Amino acid sequence: SGLSTEAEREREREASHTHIHTDPDQTHSRCPVPALGPHRSHFGPRTGLGPLSLSLSLPHSLSPGTPTSARAAGLSLTASQPAPPLPSPPRRPRVRKLLLVEAAGVFMLRSGVTSESSPQEDGSYHKAASSSSLSLSPSPQQTPQHNHNHLKKRQRAEEPLECVVSDMAEEGQHKKANFSALVGHTNGLTKSATLTGKPGTSKKLVIKNFKDKPKLPDNYTQDTWQKLHEAVGAIQRSTSIKYNLEELYQAVENLCSYKVSPTLYKQLRQACEDHVKAQIHQFREYPFFTILVLFLKKINKCWLDHCRQMIMIRSIFLFLDRTYVLQSSMLPSIWDMGLELFRTHIINDRIVQSKTIDGILLLIERERTGEAVDRSLIRSLLSMLCDLQVYQESFEHRFLEETNHLYAAEGQTLMQEREVPEYLHHVNKRLEEESDRVITYLDQSTQKRLVACVEKQLLGEHLTAILQKGLDNLLDENRVADLTLLYQLFSRVKGGLQVLLQHWSEYIKTFGTTIVVNPEKDKTMVQELLDFKDKVDHVIDVCFIKNEKFINTMKEAFETFINKRPNKPAELIAKYVDSKLRAGNKEATDEELERMLDKIMIIFRFIHGKDVFEAFYKKDLAKRLLVGKSASVDAEKSMLSKLKHECGAAFTSKLEGMFKDMELSKDIMVHFKQYVQNHNDPSKIDLTVNILTMGYWPTYIPMEVHLPAEMVKLQEIFKIFYLGKHSGRKLQWQPTLGHSVLKAEFKEGKKELQVSLFQTLVLLMFNEGDEFSVEEIKTATGIEDGELKRTLQSLACGKARVLNKAPKGKDVEDGDKIIFNDDFKHKLFRIKINQIQMKETVEEQTSTTERVFQDRQYQIDAAIVRIMKMRKTLSHNLLVSELYNQLKFPVKPGDLKKRIESLIDRDYMERDKDNANQYHYVA
């Protein structure tokens, strides 16, 4: 239909039977300009918000009776009467395209029809895609006439669209309807009307192109750019804009529709560039060092104003940004263009950049020294550098250098001035501060290198110095919190845990050696080892988070220092267990005793000479079993079970045999009592005998003493009884292990005394008299001198003094007189008089150790024969290596050589005639 006046369009509307429905109740309001904030699209490929497109295909004909609507476009057409079908020229199928564009708060619905290519005036071909635009957001003050005027302007600016609706009916009539008025809308979206037809009619919707493309008025481009230039200038000067933003947006769209986009983009860029260039002079002459914060605030204000201006400018030129710029891959978006101009002309200026970076670094340095600074200002400036893509090259490199120098100097100074715990807390505080700095205003990309810099200068350069200066004190004082912090900090530094591991091992070895090697600490050695083990376990669990490497290092260190003194720790551990398992030990409950035994077994695992432990443990166990001093049979068997689990059945076979002997002895005594009763030879003495298998029990030195006739008689009766059942065996009495109960009469009354056999022999002498000399007692009893003095001391100098000594004193001498104490008093009826335990003499310890060595020789001999029997021929070095693998106790190469020579002498093996280092097994 081409361009038409308002009157012509009104007449066409009246002539048409097609009605446009509007909603009189709908209120209209101008949509506000959206605040499009700065985005960082420039970090990646340039991205523009392109228009959303929606295509709708309409058929050439609609079936009769079917309501027709174009709701996808928000536009409804209704035909009042059927019309005959219009002849249509043959052409390609048309596709109706619906295009929704958001620009400066104005929503428009654009509808175009694609057709075959047609030649243009310039000889080029393009798709005849004309568009008819409907403005959907008029202000409340706009009248329908204003809407028509506005639409008329739009039609002049764009290629018009002829819209023809043909209804096919029986009468063959047809009507043409041209829609150019607004329909009712809601929130910028067109309110739908309906297209209806009578039943039995067919309808066809045909959309035709304008025949001629409308032309722009003269000087339209220059006048429009002048308006736009004035608007851009007003935005840059922060003054009011004379023109309506919707009108400005429409002007940009009109220019872009008529191929003026390249010129418009260049003009806009030049206007922005001129404004940015004018800003640089105010910063070059600014007195930076006198008013630091004001300079930075001025830069920051200039940046924020520039961002606000570019947002407003982009909202006006949004159509240009989303069409021409988006399709041109070489051009930056309007926002990116603004960033580029600001970066080129202001931030990349050598003087301005230097002052800005120096100012930011100075503020950060002040904050590190404890001063309060404007963190929001720093955050805004650093965000500016990130947006302008100069953060790393202009700021980060210098910032990390300054940080490196600062903390290098600080680390050197504080390591000399402060103690290790205080220094560690300072390092942790600095790390927290820098992490907070990254969160508050630094870019995330800086975090890794910044933290690494702090860790290197405050920790990495001083690892060894920190540990040498303070680790021992922290461990000695058991400062768990500081040790935890130490581990956490060292775990952050590469190689930190390895250095800590080495010093941890050295500390354990040094501290443990002082416990083991010093003979003065023998009495408390085992308890100190247990306490030390508990402490390091607690440190590993709490401070070192149960790190496997620290656990294994601790075990290796314990094994190293505990074997620096051969045999003695094993002996003392056996005696410590004996002290805990005796009947007199009431320090612990059964649960506590069990936990203590578990701890003992942990220490026991570190010992190489476990056979030494076995020898002393067996000796002490024998005393507990024979004298009845064992605290608990369950505890004894529990310890035996632990040893068996740790060392195997062979290790505990003899110990288990001792328990079997005690059980068999009980059965034998039951039969012996029956035997005595059957022989009608009752005795006033109740005899109990323990039969010990010599191979299971420790070796005891026989001691001849003078027993009373009644005892000798009972021994003979038992000997006859036992040998009658077990012929071929030999019995050897051990008086040193015997004990008895005596009935005694004092002035206060009768008492029962529970005493050893030696004490019994001494007390029985006082049935013959009230006073004897030490020599007389020795002659009468036959007890060895040292044992006799300990016996007399227990009777005359202990708590229960049934005898008196003249002269008085704690020790018994050869010339002393021993007198019966007839005035003895005690609240108990049965009194146990403990034998003063003989302190193990050096000779006894030596003899026990020698027995262990003798057993070791047998084990070495057996191992050599076993290896040679299997290998037949072996060199000396290989034989020694194999022996070290098989033997479970430490042995010197010289001792192995002696055993090999012994076996050669005894014809178990022989040397090779040609090679002296080669051995052959002799079958």
Side-chain angles (χ1 to χ4, degrees):
S1 62
L3 294 174
S4 60
T5 64
E6 187 66 20
E8 290 172 344
R9 293 165 59 210
E10 186 67 23
R11 285 195 297 272
E12 288 177 3
R13 215 171 16 254
E14 292 174 357
S16 174
H17 290 278
T18 304
H19 304 287
I20 300 175
H21 300 277
T22 61
D23 187 356
D25 298 329
Q26 178 64 42
T27 60
H28 308 290
S29 62
R30 185 185 306 277
C31 296
V33 177
L36 302 176
H39 57 84
R40 298 188 181 180
S41 62
H42 53 274
F43 282 116
R46 180 181 60 78
T47 57
L49 298 175
L52 299 172
S53 61
L54 175 68
S55 62
L56 173 67
S57 297
L58 297 178
H60 288 290
S61 61
L62 302 174
S63 59
T66 304
T68 309
S69 66
R71 286 197 176 97
L75 177 65
S76 299
L77 308 177
T78 306
S80 60
Q81 63 181 3
L86 293 176
S88 58
R91 62 176 66 225
R92 296 178 184 176
R94 299 175 179 84
V95 178
R96 184 174 184 182
K97 293 185 178 178
L98 302 178
L99 191 61
L100 185 62
V101 180
E102 175 207 350
V106 180
F107 289 79
M108 286 172 290
L109 189 65
R110 305 187 59 211
S111 162
V113 178
T114 62
S115 179
E116 62 273 4
S117 301
S118 58
Q120 303 300 312
E121 294 177 0
D122 57 359
S124 61
Y125 286 82
H126 79 283
K127 290 290 183 180
S130 61
S131 54
S132 175
S133 300
L134 299 179
S135 174
L136 305 182
S137 298
S139 64
Q141 292 78 15
Q142 287 178 322
T143 61
Q145 183 65 33
H146 180 83
N147 288 338
H148 299 326
N149 294 339
H150 178 67
L151 181 61
K152 187 158 61 177
K153 294 177 184 177
R154 296 285 302 282
Q155 288 175 331
R156 289 192 186 123
E158 299 182 4
E159 187 178 2
L161 171 70
E162 180 183 14
C163 185
V164 178
V165 178
S166 298
D167 290 341
M168 302 172 63
E170 295 176 0
E171 293 84 354
Q173 298 178 354
H174 67 276
K175 298 291 182 181
K176 180 185 293 183
N178 187 353
F179 298 95
S180 58
L182 283 174
V183 296
H185 60 84
T186 303
N187 286 338
L189 297 177
T190 306
K191 187 173 181 179
S192 302
T194 59
L195 176 66
T196 60
K198 294 181 180 180
T201 64
S202 61
K203 296 165 285 295
K204 185 175 182 182
L205 179 65
V206 181
I207 300 175
K208 296 182 179 180
N209 295 325
F210 288 112
K211 296 178 180 178
D212 298 320
K213 182 178 180 181
K215 295 182 180 180
L216 289 175
D218 295 337
N219 298 325
Y220 179 81
T221 304
Q222 290 79 2
D223 296 342
T224 304
W225 166 244
Q226 188 61 34
K227 290 181 182 180
L228 293 173
H229 189 270
E230 291 177 8
V232 170
I235 292 172
Q236 292 171 341
R237 292 188 299 272
S238 298
T239 59
S240 60
I241 305 175
K242 297 179 182 180
Y243 308 103
N244 188 303
L245 292 179
E246 183 178 348
E247 182 181 351
L248 295 173
Y249 179 88
Q250 187 60 51
V252 173
E253 183 176 357
N254 291 341
L255 291 177
C256 292
S257 300
Y258 282 84
K259 311 299 180 184
V260 192
S261 300
T263 306
L264 181 61
Y265 183 83
K266 290 178 182 178
Q267 291 172 329
L268 175 62
R269 180 184 176 92
Q270 188 62 44
C272 294
E273 187 171 10
D274 293 342
H275 172 72
V276 173
K277 283 181 178 180
Q279 304 292 319
I280 188 63
H281 302 290
Q282 61 177 324
F283 301 115
R284 286 179 175 172
E285 307 300 329
Y286 204 86
F288 166 69
F289 289 103
T290 55
I291 319 175
L292 163 66
V293 178
L294 291 180
F295 175 82
L296 294 178
K297 285 184 177 178
K298 197 169 185 65
I299 284 283
N300 186 50
K301 182 177 183 303
C302 179
W303 163 250
L304 296 178
D305 289 345
H306 179 74
C307 290
R308 178 180 53 79
Q309 294 162 12
M310 292 309 301
I311 291 171
M312 287 292 295
I313 292 171
R314 179 178 180 273
S315 66
I316 293 174
F317 289 85
L318 188 63
F319 191 86
L320 173 69
D321 198 34
R322 291 185 173 177
T323 55
Y324 170 70
V325 177
L326 188 64
Q327 295 166 5
S328 303
S329 60
M330 302 302 294
L331 292 178
S333 66
I334 294 176
W335 174 256
D336 289 344
M337 176 194 70
L339 296 179
E340 180 186 333
L341 294 175
F342 196 89
R343 176 173 61 246
T344 303
H345 297 293
I346 294 183
I347 290 302
N348 280 351
D349 183 85
R350 185 178 58 82
I351 298 175
V352 175
Q353 186 179 109
S354 177
K355 288 182 178 180
T356 305
I357 301 303
D358 289 343
I360 296 173
L361 292 175
L362 194 56
L363 286 181
I364 295 175
E365 183 180 350
R366 288 179 181 177
E367 186 185 33
R368 283 172 170 167
T369 57
E371 295 184 31
V373 298
D374 188 352
R375 300 185 112 195
S376 61
L377 175 61
I378 302 175
R379 178 171 61 248
S380 180
L381 290 171
L382 292 178
S383 177
M384 172 190 73
L385 297 179
C386 288
D387 291 341
L388 297 176
Q389 293 181 296
V390 295
Y391 176 85
Q392 290 187 348
E393 63 185 54
S394 65
F395 170 78
E396 187 180 75
H397 182 66
R398 281 191 59 192
F399 171 68
L400 293 176
E401 280 186 351
E402 295 285 340
T403 304
N404 200 55
H405 294 321
L406 170 70
Y407 287 125
E410 184 176 274
Q412 292 288 346
T413 305
L414 295 182
M415 270 304 297
Q416 297 175 1
E417 295 176 354
R418 300 188 179 184
E419 295 297 325
V420 168
E422 188 180 358
Y423 181 79
L424 292 175
H425 284 286
H426 175 77
V427 173
N428 191 51
K429 179 185 174 185
R430 283 300 198 192
L431 287 169
E432 290 175 352
E433 288 176 357
E434 297 303 332
S435 297
D436 177 64
R437 208 161 274 126
V438 171
I439 294 172
T440 306
Y441 52 74
L442 293 174
D443 189 72
Q444 286 294 326
S445 62
T446 310
Q447 180 174 15
K448 186 175 181 181
R449 281 175 284 185
L450 174 61
V451 173
C453 176
V454 180
E455 290 171 350
K456 178 185 176 184
Q457 295 302 333
L458 294 184
L459 286 173
E461 300 293 335
H462 309 286
L463 291 176
T464 305
I466 291 172
L467 296 175
Q468 289 177 347
K469 186 177 180 181
L471 179 62
D472 290 359
N473 291 334
L474 294 179
L475 290 169
D476 289 340
E477 298 170 12
N478 202 26
R479 300 177 67 165
V480 175
D482 293 332
L483 286 169
T484 304
L485 180 59
L486 174 72
Y487 178 83
Q488 291 173 352
L489 292 176
F490 273 58
S491 62
R492 301 174 68 127
V493 183
K494 183 178 181 180
L497 287 184
Q498 189 61 36
V499 178
L500 178 58
L501 205 61
Q502 294 172 0
H503 284 77
W504 167 249
S505 176
E506 291 173 5
Y507 171 81
I508 294 176
K509 291 176 183 177
T510 303
F511 190 90
T513 302
T514 59
I515 298 174
V516 172
V517 174
N518 189 358
E520 296 178 359
K521 290 190 175 183
D522 284 357
K523 292 182 179 180
T524 59
M525 179 195 293
V526 179
Q527 188 59 52
E528 287 186 26
L529 287 175
L530 292 174
D531 295 340
F532 182 51
K533 181 66 169 55
D534 287 341
K535 184 172 82 170
V536 297
D537 284 344
H538 182 68
V539 170
I540 290 175
D541 291 344
V542 177
C543 306
F544 299 160
I545 56 174
K546 299 181 181 179
N547 189 315
E548 282 293 330
K549 292 183 179 179
F550 283 84
I551 295 174
N552 295 333
T553 300
M554 178 269 294
K555 291 179 179 178
E556 293 172 2
F558 260 84
E559 187 174 354
T560 300
F561 77 75
I562 209 169
N563 291 292
K564 284 189 175 180
R565 190 179 176 191
N567 305 325
K568 196 63 179 179
E571 174 189 340
L572 295 175
I573 290 173
K575 291 182 178 179
Y576 183 84
V577 175
D578 175 61
S579 69
K580 296 299 180 183
L581 293 178
R582 281 185 195 164
N585 178 34
K586 298 179 181 179
E587 300 174 2
T589 61
D590 291 344
E591 292 79 9
E592 293 172 342
L593 184 60
E594 186 69 20
R595 285 197 296 269
M596 185 276 302
L597 293 178
D598 288 334
K599 292 179 181 179
I600 284 289
M601 290 307 300
I602 294 175
I603 301 295
F604 173 74
R605 291 191 186 105
F606 301 133
I607 295 173
H608 289 163
K610 292 181 172 60
D611 50 351
V612 178
F613 171 87
E614 181 198 12
F616 284 96
Y617 182 80
K618 182 167 67 172
K619 182 180 176 182
D620 295 330
L621 175 63
K623 289 182 181 179
R624 293 197 299 275
L625 293 178
L626 295 175
V627 184
K629 288 188 176 181
S630 180
S632 167
V633 176
D634 292 337
E636 294 283 4
K637 290 187 176 180
S638 173
M639 184 63 185
L640 199 63
S641 174
K642 295 178 192 301
L643 290 172
K644 186 175 183 178
H645 181 267
E646 183 66 29
C647 303
F651 184 84
T652 57
S653 59
K654 294 181 179 179
L655 303 178
E656 291 174 340
M658 294 167 69
F659 282 94
K660 290 180 182 178
D661 282 349
M662 296 302 294
E663 294 173 359
L664 289 173
S665 297
K666 292 178 182 178
D667 295 338
I668 291 174
M669 291 315 300
V670 172
H671 296 298
F672 176 66
K673 289 180 179 179
Q674 294 176 353
Y675 173 80
V676 172
Q677 290 176 357
N678 293 336
H679 282 71
N680 296 321
D681 190 10
S683 174
K684 297 179 181 179
I685 302 175
D686 187 8
L687 177 65
T688 302
V689 181
N690 290 317
I691 311 298
L692 312 181
T693 304
M694 191 170 288
Y696 295 158
W697 295 76
T699 304
Y700 298 105
I701 301 173
M703 184 182 294
E704 294 293 335
V705 293
H706 304 154
L707 297 177
E710 295 89 342
M711 291 186 183
V712 175
K713 182 180 178 182
L714 281 173
Q715 283 184 354
E716 291 299 326
I717 293 174
F718 180 81
K719 186 175 181 180
I720 295 170
F721 160 76
Y722 185 78
L723 294 179
K725 286 195 170 187
H726 305 280
S727 59
R729 296 187 180 181
K730 182 180 179 182
L731 293 178
Q732 184 179 22
W733 296 92
Q734 294 290 346
T736 55
L737 304 176
H739 57 89
S740 60
V741 178
L742 293 179
K743 292 181 179 180
E745 293 185 8
F746 300 96
K747 289 182 179 181
E748 191 184 46
K750 293 183 178 180
K751 301 285 185 184
E752 288 187 358
L753 304 178
Q754 190 172 345
V755 290
S756 69
L757 181 59
F758 291 161
Q759 289 171 331
T760 302
L761 297 179
V762 172
L763 291 174
L764 288 176
M765 283 188 63
F766 288 90
N767 287 333
E768 308 297 332
D770 292 337
E771 181 179 334
F772 295 95
S773 66
V774 174
E775 287 296 330
E776 291 173 342
I777 296 174
K778 180 180 180 180
T779 303
T781 59
I783 301 175
E784 184 265 331
D785 187 55
E787 191 69 45
L788 176 62
K789 289 183 178 179
R790 282 192 295 274
T791 302
L792 293 174
Q793 193 176 5
S794 65
L795 296 172
C797 305
K799 293 181 180 180
R801 299 185 180 183
V802 294
L803 300 178
N804 289 328
K805 182 177 79 72
K808 293 183 178 180
K810 292 184 178 180
D811 297 325
V812 176
E813 304 296 338
D814 291 340
D816 291 348
K817 296 289 185 180
I818 307 299
I819 306 162
F820 181 73
N821 183 14
D822 197 30
D823 299 326
F824 174 75
K825 295 180 180 180
H826 204 281
K827 61 181 179 180
L828 299 178
F829 176 71
R830 174 172 283 194
I831 305 150
K832 184 176 182 181
I833 303 177
N834 291 324
Q835 175 81 12
I836 292 180
Q837 291 296 321
M838 177 183 63
K839 292 183 179 179
E840 198 168 27
T841 61
V842 177
E843 291 78 8
E844 286 183 321
Q845 292 180 359
T846 304
S847 64
T848 304
T849 306
E850 287 178 352
R851 286 198 298 273
V852 171
F853 288 159
Q854 187 64 43
D855 291 340
R856 286 182 177 180
Q857 289 183 1
Y858 297 148
Q859 292 183 47
I860 294 171
D861 290 351
I864 293 173
V865 172
R866 189 165 54 248
I867 293 169
M868 291 303 300
K869 187 175 182 179
M870 181 175 62
R871 299 292 185 89
K872 304 300 181 183
T873 299
L874 207 59
S875 67
H876 176 80
N877 292 335
L878 290 176
L879 176 59
V880 171
S881 175
E882 191 70 26
L883 285 171
Y884 277 125
N885 291 333
Q886 290 195 12
L887 298 175
K888 297 180 180 180
F889 49 83
V891 59
K892 297 178 182 179
D895 295 335
L896 292 180
K897 194 171 183 180
K898 290 179 182 177
R899 300 319 307 161
I900 292 172
E901 294 293 339
S902 174
L903 290 173
I904 291 174
D905 293 341
R906 288 180 283 166
D907 292 335
Y908 282 95
M909 52 194 292
E910 64 182 5
R911 274 195 177 88
D912 188 87
K913 296 179 180 179
D914 299 327
N915 187 356
N917 286 328
Q918 194 86 3
Y919 302 118
H920 300 289
Y921 176 69
V922 178

